[in-house]
Amino acid sequence: MTLIKSISGFRGTIGGSVGDNLTPLDLVKFTSAYAQWLKEQHPGKKLKVVLGRDARLSGAMASSIVEGTLLGCGVDVVHIGLATTPTVEVAVTGYGADGGIILTASHNPKQWNALKLLNSRGEFLNDAEGKKVLSFAAADTYQYASVDELGEVVVRESYDQRHIDSVLALPLVDVSAVRSAHFKVVVDAVNSVGGVVIPALLRQMGVDVVPLNCEPTGRFAHNPEPIPSNLTEISAAVPAEGADLGIVVDPDVDRLALICEDGTMFGEEYTLVAVADYVLSHTPGSTVSNLSSSRALADVTAKHGCSYTASAVGEVNVVAEMKRTGAVIGGEGNGGVIYPALHYGRDALVGVALFLTLLAKKQMSASALRSTYPAYVISKNKIELTPDIDVDSVLQQMKAKYASEKVNDIDGVKIDFPTEWVHLRKSNTEPIIRIYSESKTEAAAEALAQKIISDIKSIISR
């Protein structure tokens, strides 16, 4: 089965059988469930929803179905066409809409697509809201509008420039400094919407852009997840072009990875670290990332005399913790920067603008800037279990075993040692425990992971 239903939306592979894949009938069903939830949230109101999509091959088909279904539910549509996830998010509040739907499977391969659902604040649904939509989808009973109550497409236009304008208007984005630096940047947008909006943003900041995989055809030039093993092409292109930086975004442009001028990885984990360093130097305040993100953010936050807290994994959880603590910057270690001065959502455009401002003001190379931050390495492993094993019990026993250390159990079990940490989380879809460990070196991080795996196996064998 390749159809995943969760509180954050509905994701699956295109084609195949209804209920097992993301088929046209499934698109109708899930859109109808979302519309029903909106009607419950805003009784008696004529609803308006922003709709946008990334450039993947199934996007046009899915967009037509979702648009028609919303109209059939009596919901007006603001259709902004090809758009990044953060662009849809800011468009929801920009148009005063009641919600938004983004058609994107993020970093998943081309055969996948998904409906990501937003509330009236342009933010992902929380746990209770998502579960309500899921309950409507499970009931599979919908009320559609009569002919006189059908929705209409009230706007059909791009929101890209308005999004770019809002980023460039941020007080901490110094366009003059970036322009004066005369940066040359290679952009790899994996042939999705980032190939339109990121070069446009850069050129308006006076940056010389070298486009790489920037045609929004949806035919991904490589595996779209922006991790080092997928970025060999741009790693070679940056030094070959004599560029100052390489910028990589995933298909829906909420994740940002950076390549140094010598072709080395700045590191996805360090995108947020660098941006936070800059933001905190001008606007001191608290920071937030999830439990599986690098300790480097906590270190940089402490350097500025500010406080750091960790949230459960998931953007909606990071946002909730940022609001609770009044954080000035936050995000996730996968290259997701959340800057609430603009909006509460991962936004690669904001990340690019703030990072380039920092680089321009520091007047140093990307690799030199990277060397100023604490050096950590994360190792990602998993241990497969038989279905009959009680994963929750295993995690509780691990928590008890390491009770003398600093332990956080808001999302699995995270054990903080003095110079390293390990985070254990159970999968929601298969009998495995994911094991993320971080230390000063790759060998040390891997050794910690193997020690924890040995502990778990010992518990299981009792």
Side-chain angles (χ1 to χ4, degrees):
M1 178 179 289
T2 49
L3 180 62
I4 302 170
K5 308 169 188 176
S6 71
I7 62 168
S8 60
F10 306 94
R11 180 180 305 226
T13 52
I14 298 298
S17 304
V18 175
D20 286 333
N21 303 79
L22 192 61
T23 69
L25 288 178
D26 290 300
L27 289 167
V28 171
K29 173 180 177 176
F30 298 139
T31 303
S32 300
Y34 173 65
Q36 190 166 332
W37 172 75
L38 284 177
K39 291 174 184 177
E40 185 180 83
Q41 297 297 302
H42 309 279
K45 182 180 180 183
K46 183 65 173 178
L47 298 169
K48 181 166 59 179
V49 168
V50 176
L51 175 62
R53 67 176 180 91
D54 71 14
R56 63 187 59 233
L57 297 173
S58 59
M61 176 274 293
S63 179
S64 296
I65 292 171
V66 171
E67 177 186 296
T69 303
L70 287 170
L71 301 182
C73 291
V75 177
D76 288 343
V77 174
V78 174
H79 203 313
I80 62 174
L82 286 175
T84 74
T85 285
T87 302
V88 178
E89 291 170 349
V90 296
V92 169
T93 54
Y95 283 111
D98 303 291
I101 296 178
I102 312 153
L103 295 169
T104 175
S106 192
H107 62 270
N108 285 89
K110 67 177 182 180
Q111 66 268 31
W112 289 80
N113 212 332
L115 292 85
K116 290 185 177 182
L117 309 176
L118 304 175
N119 59 25
S120 60
R121 298 183 300 278
E123 300 165 13
F124 290 117
L125 306 192
N126 62 32
D127 183 71
E129 294 167 338
K131 285 178 177 175
K132 191 69 174 180
V133 176
L134 286 171
S135 71
F136 286 137
D140 209 13
T141 55
Y142 313 106
Q143 288 294 316
Y144 294 100
S146 66
V147 68
D148 293 321
E149 300 297 326
L150 293 173
E152 60 179 312
V153 179
V154 293
V155 174
R156 194 182 295 278
E157 64 184 9
S158 171
Y159 202 80
D160 287 356
Q161 190 56 52
R162 290 173 68 178
H163 186 187
I164 291 171
D165 288 344
S166 67
V167 170
L168 298 181
L170 290 168
L172 291 190
V173 174
D174 191 333
V175 177
S176 295
V178 174
R179 191 179 301 277
S180 297
H182 303 292
F183 288 132
K184 184 178 184 180
V185 174
V186 180
V187 177
D188 182 352
V190 73
N191 289 331
S192 191
V193 293
V196 177
V197 69
I198 295 296
L201 169 70
L202 292 172
R203 289 180 179 123
Q204 289 175 53
M205 298 184 78
V207 175
D208 181 9
V209 178
V210 179
L212 181 68
N213 305 319
C214 283
E215 291 297 321
T217 62
R219 298 188 181 279
F220 301 149
H222 54 78
N223 185 309
E225 186 169 13
I227 57 177
S229 59
N230 300 327
L231 305 181
T232 55
E233 185 181 9
I234 189 171
S235 295
V238 170
E241 292 284 349
D244 300 287
L245 188 69
I247 288 175
V248 185
V249 291
D250 64 339
D252 68 325
V253 200
D254 60 0
R255 291 174 61 177
L256 171 63
L258 303 168
I259 313 296
C260 297
E261 78 290 342
D262 58 1
T264 60
M265 298 290 144
F266 193 86
E268 251 195 323
E269 289 285 339
Y270 285 83
T271 300
L272 174 59
V273 173
V275 171
D277 184 28
Y278 172 61
V279 170
L280 292 173
S281 69
H282 291 273
T283 52
S286 60
T287 66
V288 174
S289 64
N290 68 41
L291 286 170
S292 288
S293 297
S294 175
R295 184 180 283 184
L297 178 61
D299 291 351
V300 166
T301 303
K303 180 188 76 172
H304 289 282
C306 300
S307 62
Y308 163 84
T309 55
S311 76
V313 173
E315 181 174 327
V316 66
N317 298 316
V318 176
V319 167
E321 185 64 13
M322 289 180 69
K323 289 181 175 181
R324 188 188 73 80
T325 60
V328 296
I329 187 72
E332 298 184 293
N334 60 8
V337 174
I338 302 174
Y339 187 46
L342 183 60
H343 70 119
Y344 280 103
R346 293 181 300 170
D347 190 330
L349 282 78
V350 168
V352 165
L354 292 173
F355 182 85
L356 285 178
T357 300
L358 170 64
L359 200 62
K361 289 180 177 294
K362 288 285 188 180
Q363 296 185 337
M364 61 172 63
S365 67
S367 60
L369 176 63
R370 174 65 176 80
S371 69
T372 66
Y373 298 121
Y376 294 108
V377 178
I378 290 180
S379 177
K380 298 182 180 181
N381 295 270
K382 64 181 179 181
I383 182 170
E384 296 186 7
L385 309 173
T386 56
D388 60 303
I389 292 175
D390 186 341
V391 179
D392 289 323
S393 175
V394 171
L395 293 178
Q396 284 302 311
Q397 290 179 69
M398 288 296 293
K399 176 184 173 183
K401 180 177 177 64
Y402 288 97
S404 61
E405 305 291 344
K406 183 180 177 182
V407 177
N408 187 320
D409 63 354
I410 63 171
D411 183 5
V413 174
K414 182 173 183 178
I415 307 162
D416 263 305
F417 301 97
T419 61
E420 55 191 6
W421 57 259
V422 63
H423 186 203
L424 315 176
R425 298 179 71 234
K426 69 175 182 178
S427 168
N428 293 323
T429 58
E430 51 188 328
I432 66 172
I433 295 177
R434 301 190 189 280
I435 302 167
Y436 288 11
S437 55
E438 181 180 69
S439 192
K440 292 287 188 178
T441 67
E442 185 176 355
E446 183 61 24
L448 176 59
Q450 292 306 316
K451 181 181 185 301
I452 295 298
I453 289 172
S454 178
D455 289 341
I456 293 172
K457 288 181 176 177
S458 177
I459 290 172
I460 293 170
S461 65
R462 289 175 188 168

